[in-house]
Amino acid sequence: MVTEPRHLPGLKKIPPYWYPYTTMAKGRWLGREILEVVSTEFRDRSMEYYRYALESGVTTINGKIAKPDTIVQNGDRIENVVHRHEPPVTATPVRIIHHDREREFIIIDKPGSIPVHASGRFFRNSLVEILKNDFGFKKVYTINRLDRLTSGLMIIPLSSSMANTLTQEFAAGTIRKEYIARCRGQFPEEELACEVPLLTIDRQMGLNVVHPEGKPAKTIFKRMHYDANTDTSVVHCEPLTGRSHQIRVHLQYLGHPVANDPIYSETKIWGERLGEGGIDLTPSEERSPKVDGQTTTKVARPKLLPRETGHDIGMGSPVPLSAEMVGIITKLRNMKDEDEDWSRWRDVVFRAKEALAKLAAFRVPPPGAVLVPQSSASTASATTAPLATSATDSDSATPSPVKDTANGALYCSECYLPLHPDPKPERLYIFLHALRYTTSLGSFETGIPEWAAEGWTWER
């Protein structure tokens, strides 16, 4: 097996663009205020942003401007105008390592950091859009998915018939999947099977734990080598089931989480034991009141929303949460909010309100309408810039940032989103790689990542 470099230096970045977003009301939204819905369902912006955005008339329901206390009803069409700032991804390109035109499928090597589907702030930098825009595949069926942070092999059908064939194979468990991971500590030499059920307890954070009410899951692990210099082990992993975060959670349960996993290998979240052997599952009503990192005592409002009181935690959980579960979710959310630096929003919400007020003149066009991308030569203005069609406006110029003379912080000149320094490419992926799949179509594999080689140096 050849060892390959997995990640090229540098980042792939998409210039920000205006995007009209339309969705039909989901069942769990019905009867709830629109501000409560968007602030609990989506956490990629601050409470202040969502409140001011709604007050500025950027969001409509059935063509009428929605206010923060508008109740979502069955059949409602919610339309919103956003200035999308997609997070950067690694500059390492998606590779097609096999294209079977006759049987209509491709085998790709996905870099870590790229999500399979558009989600959150990701759209053009998602695998589906990359395959469409960069490779010309009009329709792909992503029945075999990898986490955004995980790299490696994916089998992608190009027709519904092949998608149905492979879906049945995955469901029957006849496809053999092999991964490699670099985990913390000295993993046991003997082959080890982990067979504990897994449950998703927080959909927003994608958090999974070992829980008796979860779905059955089994993974077989075999150590490949141990590196004393980094106190890490490279492990061959064979998941016999396909649960969300299965390998990551099973390794954590065994006391050897993926070494650079930002969720399951963080002592600030899980404590010194890092979730080894599982966590306390005793149900509790305890919640921690927070407002984007601040206590509720600093908010002079008669009515606080679930995101502000902490009671949005557990709203989507299939089981009652324990105090430890609530604490872990709270810490994960606070860590995300700190990374986004929402405190800076409090200093510029008046600017955001002014910019958003100008957007109230924009209305989402009817289905089928053609939107003209903004010319990169024109002056960017919230009052004159037409909306981009998201997937085709690749030539838009990045607007010059606005600098706060008081503290030197940078903000987007069109929507006043706080702008952060670029992340380091090595922080955009984890040491988990889909190495080989064996199916009725054949056996397919990629090279071993450079981080899995013996003697590899980890610059933490």
Side-chain angles (χ1 to χ4, degrees):
M1 178 70 67
V2 177
T3 299
E4 302 184 334
R6 290 294 321 147
H7 294 274
L8 299 176
L11 298 169
K12 177 184 177 184
K13 294 186 282 187
I14 301 290
Y17 53 93
W18 293 109
Y19 183 79
Y21 176 78
T22 303
T23 185
M24 300 303 294
K26 302 182 186 302
R28 62 178 179 273
W29 299 356
L30 304 185
R32 297 163 60 189
E33 293 181 1
I34 185 66
L35 177 57
E36 188 226 321
V37 170
V38 298
S39 63
T40 55
E41 292 279 330
F42 313 106
R43 291 185 67 88
D44 63 333
R45 303 218 174 178
S46 70
M47 281 293 301
E48 286 92 339
Y49 179 89
Y50 290 128
R51 181 172 282 109
Y52 282 123
L54 286 164
E55 290 174 350
S56 300
V58 175
T59 300
T60 65
I61 296 181
N62 303 325
K64 298 180 180 180
I65 292 176
K67 293 301 181 182
D69 60 354
T70 299
I71 303 298
V72 179
Q73 306 287 348
N74 188 27
D76 279 350
R77 184 183 74 256
I78 302 170
E79 300 167 330
N80 192 35
V81 176
V82 297
H83 195 230
R84 246 182 171 149
H85 287 251
E86 294 203 31
V89 297
T90 176
T92 304
V94 173
R95 291 195 307 141
I96 296 181
I97 57 181
H98 180 74
H99 185 179
D100 193 316
R101 290 173 173 79
E102 182 179 349
R103 294 186 290 179
E104 298 183 297
F105 70 90
I106 56 174
I107 306 295
I108 70 156
D109 189 0
K110 183 188 85 70
S113 81
I114 297 176
V116 173
H117 295 109
S119 61
R121 287 184 291 161
F122 291 93
F123 184 77
R124 297 186 201 173
N125 272 340
S126 65
L127 178 66
V128 170
E129 291 301 308
I130 289 171
L131 289 175
K132 181 172 70 174
N133 298 323
D134 296 357
F135 293 92
F137 292 106
K138 294 181 179 180
K139 181 68 174 177
V140 295
Y141 297 80
T142 52
I143 59 166
N144 160 224
R145 303 175 181 90
L146 293 179
D147 296 337
R148 177 174 64 86
L149 299 176
T150 303
S151 62
L153 189 142
M154 286 181 61
I155 305 175
I156 300 182
L158 302 176
S159 67
S160 58
S161 58
M162 179 53 68
N164 183 58
T165 297
L166 284 172
T167 296
Q168 292 181 23
E169 285 194 46
F170 275 106
T174 57
I175 292 180
R176 185 185 182 194
K177 298 168 286 187
E178 299 174 67
Y179 291 68
I180 48 176
R182 183 177 282 269
C183 62
R184 285 188 180 222
Q186 187 169 1
F187 199 87
E189 285 189 283
E190 67 275 8
E191 184 175 279
L192 189 61
C194 185
E195 199 166 358
V196 289
L198 303 178
L199 183 70
T200 301
I201 60 169
D202 189 88
R203 184 180 53 83
Q204 284 184 342
M205 307 308 311
L207 182 67
N208 296 270
V209 298
V210 172
H211 196 287
E213 297 296 319
K215 295 180 179 179
K218 182 176 182 179
T219 314
I220 298 174
F221 298 101
K222 177 65 177 176
R223 192 177 88 187
M224 298 170 68
H225 57 84
Y226 170 68
D227 182 3
N229 290 328
T230 59
D231 188 28
T232 59
S233 302
V234 173
V235 179
H236 179 273
C237 319
E238 186 175 351
L240 302 186
T241 49
R243 309 305 177 204
S244 180
H245 291 188
Q246 176 172 321
I247 294 173
R248 297 164 69 180
V249 180
H250 275 178
L251 282 172
Q252 181 198 44
Y253 182 81
L254 295 173
H256 301 277
V258 174
N260 65 342
D261 194 321
I263 295 181
Y264 300 105
S265 188
E266 177 55 69
T267 55
K268 290 187 296 185
I269 303 300
W270 301 87
E272 293 301 319
R273 287 182 55 82
L274 286 173
E276 180 179 2
I279 59 176
D280 178 57
L281 304 177
T282 307
S284 170
E285 296 299 320
E286 179 182 333
R287 296 294 184 272
S288 177
K290 296 285 182 181
V291 181
D292 292 331
Q294 301 294 319
T295 62
T296 57
T297 56
K298 295 186 179 181
V299 180
R301 285 197 302 274
K303 178 182 179 180
L304 296 174
L305 298 179
R307 174 166 164 180
E308 298 170 302
T309 63
H311 283 84
D312 63 325
I313 295 177
M315 287 179 66
S317 174
V319 297
L321 300 183
S322 68
E324 186 172 5
M325 289 177 180
V326 170
I328 288 168
I329 295 171
T330 300
K331 291 173 185 176
L332 277 171
R333 291 184 175 185
N334 288 344
M335 184 172 71
K336 180 180 184 297
D337 290 344
E338 288 169 10
D339 287 344
E340 298 291 354
D341 197 6
W342 289 132
S343 62
R344 287 161 60 180
W345 272 99
R346 295 179 181 83
D347 300 327
V348 294
V349 288
F350 66 94
R351 293 181 181 174
K353 186 175 183 180
E354 180 182 355
L356 290 167
K358 297 176 182 178
L359 290 179
F362 286 123
R363 291 277 67 83
V364 177
V370 177
L371 298 176
V372 181
Q374 177 184 339
S375 169
S376 59
S378 63
T379 302
S381 168
T383 56
T384 61
L387 302 177
T389 55
S390 78
T392 60
D393 188 20
S394 58
D395 297 327
S396 296
T398 300
S400 299
V402 173
K403 186 174 183 179
D404 190 323
T405 55
N407 56 22
L410 298 178
Y411 303 92
C412 173
S413 61
E414 295 197 33
C415 71
Y416 288 98
L417 183 80
L419 302 178
H420 307 298
D422 287 339
K424 295 182 179 180
E426 58 269 22
R427 293 194 61 187
L428 296 179
Y429 65 95
I430 58 175
F431 301 144
L432 181 61
H433 179 76
L435 181 67
R436 183 184 301 110
Y437 279 13
T438 303
T439 76
S440 64
L441 303 174
S443 182
F444 309 97
E445 63 183 47
T446 70
I448 293 180
E450 81 280 359
W451 51 255
E454 292 193 62
W456 176 75
T457 302
W458 185 13
E459 296 182 6
R460 309 192 190 197

